[in-house]
Amino acid sequence: MKRVFVTGGASGLGRALAERYAADGWRVCIADVHDARGAETLAALRNSGAEAEFVHCDVTREEDLIAARDFVEARWGGVDVVINNAGVAGAGAIDAVTIDDWKWIIDINLLGVVRGCRVFTPLFKRQGGGHFVNVASMAGFMDVPMMSSYNATKAAVISLSETMQVELAEWKIGVTVVCPSFFKTNLTDSFRSPEPRLRDITQRLLDRPGPSAADVAEDVFRAVHKGGFYVLPHAEGRRALLTKRLLPRALWARMLAKQTRAFTRDNRPGGGG
């Protein structure tokens, strides 16, 4: 029976991934900082017939990830897929977001993934293989205005994953990087911004019709099974990325600058919504 470990596995995409793997008969270990959510998700997984475990894990603490790795190795003899999914969001102008908020988002979104990869790579090497799934975002490609800290961390996760794919190939360790656009999840629960209106705008984007967390999880599951690298679940994101790659940078930047001006105008108090 194959084994999967998921950070941020108690809710949102992490829970959807845990449920998808459980549905295929995998042993599932979810890790999260939210113990109550973890217990509820664990109960749901077990009630569905899955062999599942929950460990408290803060991805800003390498010792927590080491303890989680040691747990799955002792419990199940190892792990086949590690999904570095835990993440947070923030927004604000470059001159408004504090350095403390930059450090906070980097520590979770980027270094949380780095820690997961650092800790589990030696186990994969001992096993003779394994597969990392690193959850990034289309924001890592797309220069989304007013989200420089979030964009930068997700771009770094994409670069990290691309590097790991090359570096770890000789060890038979696969890598997949997931780059969804906005979809309904609880990302705004931990959202930070110096401008409260940006939380509401982000929530409206998350609530738009489109692929669900379960749909994204299905795309991830299939990509890992096939050994795929990029997972771009949203058609609008794929179109935007193609447009960015085809247009001269100056033209692309002018387009985004125009959108940013409209964005700022329409979403200021008393603006057009």
PDB file of all heavy atoms in Angstrom, residues 141-155:
ATOM      1  N   PHE A 141       4.150  33.100 -11.721  1.00  0.00           N
ATOM      2  CA  PHE A 141       4.464  33.433 -13.108  1.00  0.00           C
ATOM      3  C   PHE A 141       3.957  34.816 -13.519  1.00  0.00           C
ATOM      4  O   PHE A 141       4.507  35.435 -14.424  1.00  0.00           O
ATOM      5  CB  PHE A 141       3.791  32.427 -14.067  1.00  0.00           C
ATOM      6  CG  PHE A 141       4.353  31.042 -14.053  1.00  0.00           C
ATOM      7  CD1 PHE A 141       3.541  29.951 -13.740  1.00  0.00           C
ATOM      8  CD2 PHE A 141       5.676  30.794 -14.386  1.00  0.00           C
ATOM      9  CE1 PHE A 141       4.029  28.661 -13.761  1.00  0.00           C
ATOM     10  CE2 PHE A 141       6.176  29.505 -14.409  1.00  0.00           C
ATOM     11  CZ  PHE A 141       5.356  28.436 -14.098  1.00  0.00           C
ATOM     12  N   MET A 142       2.878  35.296 -12.902  1.00  0.00           N
ATOM     13  CA  MET A 142       2.020  36.273 -13.555  1.00  0.00           C
ATOM     14  C   MET A 142       2.114  37.722 -13.081  1.00  0.00           C
ATOM     15  O   MET A 142       1.346  38.559 -13.519  1.00  0.00           O
ATOM     16  CB  MET A 142       0.560  35.819 -13.442  1.00  0.00           C
ATOM     17  CG  MET A 142       0.265  34.487 -14.126  1.00  0.00           C
ATOM     18  SD  MET A 142       0.871  34.385 -15.810  1.00  0.00           S
ATOM     19  CE  MET A 142       0.045  35.765 -16.554  1.00  0.00           C
ATOM     20  N   ASP A 143       3.010  38.071 -12.164  1.00  0.00           N
ATOM     21  CA  ASP A 143       3.189  39.481 -11.776  1.00  0.00           C
ATOM     22  C   ASP A 143       1.898  40.119 -11.262  1.00  0.00           C
ATOM     23  O   ASP A 143       1.580  41.276 -11.586  1.00  0.00           O
ATOM     24  CB  ASP A 143       3.703  40.337 -12.943  1.00  0.00           C
ATOM     25  CG  ASP A 143       4.744  39.650 -13.814  1.00  0.00           C
ATOM     26  OD1 ASP A 143       5.480  38.809 -13.287  1.00  0.00           O
ATOM     27  OD2 ASP A 143       4.804  39.968 -15.008  1.00  0.00           O
ATOM     28  N   VAL A 144       1.134  39.385 -10.463  1.00  0.00           N
ATOM     29  CA  VAL A 144      -0.146  39.899  -9.965  1.00  0.00           C
ATOM     30  C   VAL A 144       0.098  41.177  -9.161  1.00  0.00           C
ATOM     31  O   VAL A 144       0.895  41.176  -8.220  1.00  0.00           O
ATOM     32  CB  VAL A 144      -0.852  38.853  -9.079  1.00  0.00           C
ATOM     33  CG1 VAL A 144      -2.188  39.394  -8.571  1.00  0.00           C
ATOM     34  CG2 VAL A 144      -1.043  37.558  -9.846  1.00  0.00           C
ATOM     35  N   PRO A 145      -0.548  42.302  -9.519  1.00  0.00           N
ATOM     36  CA  PRO A 145      -0.282  43.558  -8.811  1.00  0.00           C
ATOM     37  C   PRO A 145      -0.727  43.503  -7.360  1.00  0.00           C
ATOM     38  O   PRO A 145      -1.661  42.799  -6.993  1.00  0.00           O
ATOM     39  CB  PRO A 145      -1.102  44.587  -9.598  1.00  0.00           C
ATOM     40  CG  PRO A 145      -2.180  43.791 -10.257  1.00  0.00           C
ATOM     41  CD  PRO A 145      -1.549  42.467 -10.587  1.00  0.00           C
ATOM     42  N   MET A 146      -0.022  44.253  -6.525  1.00  0.00           N
ATOM     43  CA  MET A 146      -0.336  44.401  -5.098  1.00  0.00           C
ATOM     44  C   MET A 146      -0.097  43.114  -4.309  1.00  0.00           C
ATOM     45  O   MET A 146      -0.564  42.982  -3.181  1.00  0.00           O
ATOM     46  CB  MET A 146      -1.791  44.861  -4.903  1.00  0.00           C
ATOM     47  CG  MET A 146      -2.174  46.103  -5.684  1.00  0.00           C
ATOM     48  SD  MET A 146      -1.331  47.583  -5.106  1.00  0.00           S
ATOM     49  CE  MET A 146      -2.203  47.889  -3.584  1.00  0.00           C
ATOM     50  N   MET A 147       0.631  42.161  -4.889  1.00  0.00           N
ATOM     51  CA  MET A 147       0.899  40.904  -4.184  1.00  0.00           C
ATOM     52  C   MET A 147       2.367  40.494  -4.347  1.00  0.00           C
ATOM     53  O   MET A 147       2.684  39.327  -4.538  1.00  0.00           O
ATOM     54  CB  MET A 147      -0.026  39.796  -4.691  1.00  0.00           C
ATOM     55  CG  MET A 147      -1.491  40.028  -4.396  1.00  0.00           C
ATOM     56  SD  MET A 147      -2.549  38.599  -4.747  1.00  0.00           S
ATOM     57  CE  MET A 147      -2.102  37.491  -3.408  1.00  0.00           C
ATOM     58  N   SER A 148       3.267  41.452  -4.238  1.00  0.00           N
ATOM     59  CA  SER A 148       4.668  41.167  -4.530  1.00  0.00           C
ATOM     60  C   SER A 148       5.266  40.118  -3.601  1.00  0.00           C
ATOM     61  O   SER A 148       6.036  39.254  -4.052  1.00  0.00           O
ATOM     62  CB  SER A 148       5.500  42.445  -4.474  1.00  0.00           C
ATOM     63  OG  SER A 148       5.353  43.105  -3.230  1.00  0.00           O
ATOM     64  N   SER A 149       4.920  40.133  -2.332  1.00  0.00           N
ATOM     65  CA  SER A 149       5.506  39.161  -1.409  1.00  0.00           C
ATOM     66  C   SER A 149       5.011  37.749  -1.719  1.00  0.00           C
ATOM     67  O   SER A 149       5.796  36.789  -1.730  1.00  0.00           O
ATOM     68  CB  SER A 149       5.195  39.540   0.047  1.00  0.00           C
ATOM     69  OG  SER A 149       3.793  39.553   0.280  1.00  0.00           O
ATOM     70  N   TYR A 150       3.718  37.628  -1.969  1.00  0.00           N
ATOM     71  CA  TYR A 150       3.147  36.319  -2.324  1.00  0.00           C
ATOM     72  C   TYR A 150       3.721  35.828  -3.651  1.00  0.00           C
ATOM     73  O   TYR A 150       4.166  34.684  -3.776  1.00  0.00           O
ATOM     74  CB  TYR A 150       1.627  36.438  -2.405  1.00  0.00           C
ATOM     75  CG  TYR A 150       0.911  35.138  -2.667  1.00  0.00           C
ATOM     76  CD1 TYR A 150       0.735  34.196  -1.655  1.00  0.00           C
ATOM     77  CD2 TYR A 150       0.386  34.847  -3.928  1.00  0.00           C
ATOM     78  CE1 TYR A 150       0.062  33.009  -1.885  1.00  0.00           C
ATOM     79  CE2 TYR A 150      -0.292  33.658  -4.168  1.00  0.00           C
ATOM     80  CZ  TYR A 150      -0.445  32.745  -3.142  1.00  0.00           C
ATOM     81  OH  TYR A 150      -1.100  31.555  -3.382  1.00  0.00           O
ATOM     82  N   ASN A 151       3.739  36.716  -4.658  1.00  0.00           N
ATOM     83  CA  ASN A 151       4.273  36.337  -5.965  1.00  0.00           C
ATOM     84  C   ASN A 151       5.713  35.845  -5.856  1.00  0.00           C
ATOM     85  O   ASN A 151       6.093  34.842  -6.476  1.00  0.00           O
ATOM     86  CB  ASN A 151       4.249  37.536  -6.918  1.00  0.00           C
ATOM     87  CG  ASN A 151       2.863  38.077  -7.177  1.00  0.00           C
ATOM     88  OD1 ASN A 151       1.870  37.468  -6.813  1.00  0.00           O
ATOM     89  ND2 ASN A 151       2.803  39.234  -7.804  1.00  0.00           N
ATOM     90  N   ALA A 152       6.513  36.566  -5.101  1.00  0.00           N
ATOM     91  CA  ALA A 152       7.935  36.239  -5.001  1.00  0.00           C
ATOM     92  C   ALA A 152       8.149  34.867  -4.370  1.00  0.00           C
ATOM     93  O   ALA A 152       9.006  34.093  -4.818  1.00  0.00           O
ATOM     94  CB  ALA A 152       8.666  37.320  -4.206  1.00  0.00           C
ATOM     95  N   THR A 153       7.361  34.543  -3.329  1.00  0.00           N
ATOM     96  CA  THR A 153       7.538  33.232  -2.708  1.00  0.00           C
ATOM     97  C   THR A 153       7.120  32.110  -3.649  1.00  0.00           C
ATOM     98  O   THR A 153       7.778  31.061  -3.712  1.00  0.00           O
ATOM     99  CB  THR A 153       6.744  33.126  -1.392  1.00  0.00           C
ATOM    100  OG1 THR A 153       5.340  33.313  -1.633  1.00  0.00           O
ATOM    101  CG2 THR A 153       7.228  34.137  -0.374  1.00  0.00           C
ATOM    102  N   LYS A 154       6.038  32.328  -4.386  1.00  0.00           N
ATOM    103  CA  LYS A 154       5.569  31.280  -5.291  1.00  0.00           C
ATOM    104  C   LYS A 154       6.505  31.123  -6.492  1.00  0.00           C
ATOM    105  O   LYS A 154       6.723  29.999  -6.970  1.00  0.00           O
ATOM    106  CB  LYS A 154       4.136  31.566  -5.735  1.00  0.00           C
ATOM    107  CG  LYS A 154       3.128  31.518  -4.589  1.00  0.00           C
ATOM    108  CD  LYS A 154       3.164  30.182  -3.851  1.00  0.00           C
ATOM    109  CE  LYS A 154       2.073  30.070  -2.810  1.00  0.00           C
ATOM    110  NZ  LYS A 154       2.063  28.745  -2.121  1.00  0.00           N
ATOM    111  N   ALA A 155       7.060  32.225  -6.992  1.00  0.00           N
ATOM    112  CA  ALA A 155       8.055  32.125  -8.061  1.00  0.00           C
ATOM    113  C   ALA A 155       9.280  31.354  -7.581  1.00  0.00           C
ATOM    114  O   ALA A 155       9.859  30.545  -8.325  1.00  0.00           O
ATOM    115  CB  ALA A 155       8.456  33.520  -8.531  1.00  0.00           C
TER     116      ALA A 155
END
